[in-house]
Amino acid sequence: MDETVAEFIKRTILKIPMTEMMTILKAWDFLPENQLQTVNFRQRKESLVQDLVLLCESKRASLRDAALLDIIYTQFHRHQKVWDVFQMSKEPGEDVDLFDMERFKSSFEKILRRALKNVTVSFRDAEENAVWIRIAWGTQYRKPNQYKPVYVVYYSQTPYAFTSFCHLKSNTPLLSQALTVASNHHKIVKMDLRSRYLDSLKAIVFKQYNQKFETHNSTMPLQETLELDMHMDSRIIHENRIEKERVQRVTQETFGDYPQPRLEFAQYKLETKFKSDFHGGILAERKEPLRCLIKFSSPHLLEALKSLAPAGIADAPLSPLLTCIPNKGMNYFKIRDK
Amino acid sequence: MEWANDKSKGGVLAHLERLETQMSRSCKNLEDPPRETAESDLGTKIHKLRCLRDKLRAEVKQRQARIKASTANAEPDQTLEISEQEAVGGKEENMKAILQAYRFTGLSGKRTSRGVCVCISTAFEGNLLDSYFVDLVIQKPLRIHHHSVPVFIPLEEISAKYLQTNIQHFLFCLCEYLNAYAGRKYQADQLQRDFAAFLAGPLQRNSLCNLLSFTYKVEPQGRSFPFCARLLYKDLTTTLPTDVTITYQGTDASSTSWEEQRASHENLFFTKPLHQVFTSFARNGER
């Protein structure tokens, strides 16, 4: 086994937390069950890793096997990457898409290899007819860097692809081209949507985040009046009850009853002229637009926005610039004067 | 109160003084003869009030007695009301059950505050499969609020064509696509689940289940070479393939018996759903 491959496997296994070690090794399915049972999983991690690497050497693990392990690790730790979303489109009136996964994979790899000899491409099929692609980029003279790969997640016969953030922007056009051609599309555009939470991005672009529907089978709960009133002592009077109910209603109409998809930030780039009621202010006469960047960050941005008005921090309804985020599939905005 | 207003004319003490003088004056008045008429006036007034009180008491008693009598009579009426309620409640339950059962027609809906929520329940060969929802907002223009249609079904295309002009056609078209998709998916799932023994490798499929590629044997334990099948469903509204390619990679590929088998298999795949084809293989194998 190549030294670089051994080192790569060693470093990948070292990243795996002990609690997940068995699960990930089983998913990898490279070391058979009986061999795994001979290993002492209670020893210190460094010694365990050494034992495992020795086993891999005895089985002659290749770069391909190592790349597969890397994919599995990333699938378990997808939140460690920041994901972008690309949207592809076809010409109108195209034939029905007869997507063949094997043809897609070979076409994708061929396009990359034609442009760049030094590249490692690996695939792993995933649920819902999706595929995870791992690409380690090299250059004309240098071998691929296995420690800075790019991941692409593609659900067949959909126009969206999710890619992990790549430091090497120069390879993005090539990657875009490979994706577009291999999946029978014509154009590709990067969306202004980015997050660590791959599943939330998927929910947003596939429009799967609101899955509550009224049916005759389910009894829809009647418009819940403010819970405050129901259980409290009748001697307690709630001031602004009507206003509170209005805010509750507006919030529910805007954000719905469902759990919001998870995003960590929304960014607004403003390039607008200053608008003021006071004439003769210093900024009012400025002809150039002001440039500023406003960023909202949160462990769960949309839930935070949803709670703003009920908490009394903001007026309801919130600005459409905030509430349109899942609907428009954007969390990067550029606002200019019309 | 008057004294509150008079307060301004000298305070509380002044007011008390005034009350005192008033009282002493009224005492003087009481000593005068008009005193007697006042007394008799009051006396007649008291008498009148007493009579009125007695009259009202008697009336209250009467009314109470009347109510008691009427409630005693009303009891049989109440039982009538209860049975009517039960009848209405029973009808309501019946209606609810019918509305719930509408799902089985494949297309049902429920009014919502902003429009209607349509439910498309797919089925294949008498098996009820997944349901999909489209929540419509009744506005001009008609629009879809949210839905559970999978992203690879061309919903935007169908709604662009028909939603504004012919909503029946929109729903019908969507039903077609979804039922066909559900049927194809059902066949592929059945093949993977019930006939895995016949497959020599994994079943390759895609999201729409409109391209299936697999290698199979006619006999699960047979030593015969497998056939490679490639099924294309170019018409997304059908559950049977439009293109079938069966290849045989055995050494005696040229032999006529295998060619006959190959041709007959092709025909089978064209005309029968996947799982039925394999059921017939299984049955032939048992003979």
Side-chain angles (χ1 to χ4, degrees), chain A residues 96-226:
Chain A
V96 166
D97 185 5
L98 293 158
F99 182 86
D100 185 334
M101 186 58 91
E102 295 310 306
R103 284 203 191 149
F104 168 81
K105 289 178 192 173
S106 70
S107 170
F108 184 84
E109 188 164 357
K110 223 189 287 178
I111 294 172
L112 288 184
R113 281 203 189 286
R114 233 187 289 156
L116 202 60
K117 273 192 212 92
N118 283 322
V119 66
T120 315
V121 186
S122 323
F123 302 94
R124 186 167 197 248
D125 289 340
E127 77 296 326
E128 290 180 60
N129 299 291
V131 62
W132 278 61
I133 313 172
R134 176 184 181 277
I135 306 148
W137 300 107
T139 64
Q140 243 190 334
Y141 306 107
R142 265 199 258 129
K143 282 200 140 177
N145 181 354
Q146 300 299 338
Y147 298 97
K148 289 219 165 96
V150 164
Y151 291 89
V152 179
V153 181
Y154 178 60
Y155 289 78
S156 62
Q157 292 167 317
T158 68
Y160 300 101
F162 307 91
T163 62
S164 67
F165 182 72
C166 182
H167 297 278
L168 285 166
K169 300 268 196 269
S170 54
N171 288 317
T172 312
L174 177 59
L175 177 60
S176 307
Q177 190 200 14
L179 259 175
T180 318
V181 174
S183 66
N184 301 322
H185 287 91
H186 275 104
K187 279 200 294 185
I188 185 166
V189 145
K190 185 152 175 283
M191 290 176 74
D192 292 323
L193 186 60
R194 178 182 288 176
S195 172
R196 285 187 183 278
Y197 302 102
L198 184 60
D199 301 318
S200 289
L201 290 174
K202 177 180 167 239
I204 290 174
V205 295
F206 289 6
K207 304 241 174 274
Q208 293 169 338
Y209 51 89
N210 182 358
Q211 297 294 293
K212 280 210 167 174
F213 300 96
E214 280 188 52
T215 63
H216 291 291
N217 295 23
S218 64
T219 41
M220 269 291 281
L222 295 166
Q223 284 297 319
E224 284 161 18
T225 48
L226 265 191

